[in-house]
Amino acid sequence: MQTTHYLAEIIDELNRSANRISDEEAEQLANEILDANKVFVAGGGRSGFMAKSFAMRMMHMGIDAYVVGETVTPTFEEGDLIIIGSGSGETKQLVSIANKAADIGGKIAAVTINPDSTIGSLADIIVTLPGSPKDQSGDHETIQPMGSLFEQTLLLFYDAIILRFMEKKGLDSDKMYGKHANLE
């Protein structure tokens, strides 16, 4: 198969994935982000990269958003929200972070394939994304290796949440660009 045919199949998979995401779950997450004092994001591996890109866009919108584990990340406190992107919902480091956030009294959002996971059980908000876990044991068919479909859907879902924020706050790209890095 040609590379462009693989690309077309990936796009088809993403279209099927988008149609399986709950609007109600997405709206609940968007509202919780806007109501939170500070927003923290976490994810392992490629999901962590998606989380970082989401934090960056939230910062462009004027939301106090941070990545767990970065040196400039402030203290997580009651009234804050942590969004954990984890396909399995069982990544040990992320489970530990969720437990600590629960002990502190902040809100936890899980964006996951597996809402019945450990992180899902700790979460106040769950957004279920389709995809197959790394071991390919899921029920969502994909030609892609490991968790690629989940990770791609996660990035696009986060970008869709940003568009929803823009709509709710009356922002456009020009207004957001004013918060873009300018020391480079």
Side-chain angles (χ1 to χ4, degrees), residues 48-58 67 155 158-159 162:
F49 291 131
M50 307 313 164
K52 285 181 177 186
S53 69
F54 188 40
M56 177 189 213
R57 284 289 184 252
M58 286 191 285
V67 177
L155 176 64
Y158 285 159
D159 279 347
I162 293 299

Side-chain angles (χ1 to χ4, degrees), residues 33-58:
I33 291 168
L34 292 174
D35 289 343
N37 295 334
K38 296 185 301 286
V39 178
F40 296 76
V41 298
R46 285 172 41 127
S47 295
F49 291 131
M50 307 313 164
K52 285 181 177 186
S53 69
F54 188 40
M56 177 189 213
R57 284 289 184 252
M58 286 191 285

Side-chain angles (χ1 to χ4, degrees), residues 81-128:
L81 170 69
I82 183 163
I83 303 166
I84 301 174
S86 173
S88 69
E90 299 294 344
T91 305
K92 287 183 182 183
Q93 179 184 13
L94 299 176
V95 168
S96 176
I97 290 167
N99 276 313
K100 193 167 189 178
D103 290 345
I104 292 169
K107 286 203 174 177
I108 301 165
V111 186
T112 184
I113 297 169
N114 185 6
D116 298 324
S117 64
T118 302
I119 294 171
S121 71
L122 293 166
D124 302 288
I125 303 128
I126 299 172
V127 179
T128 305

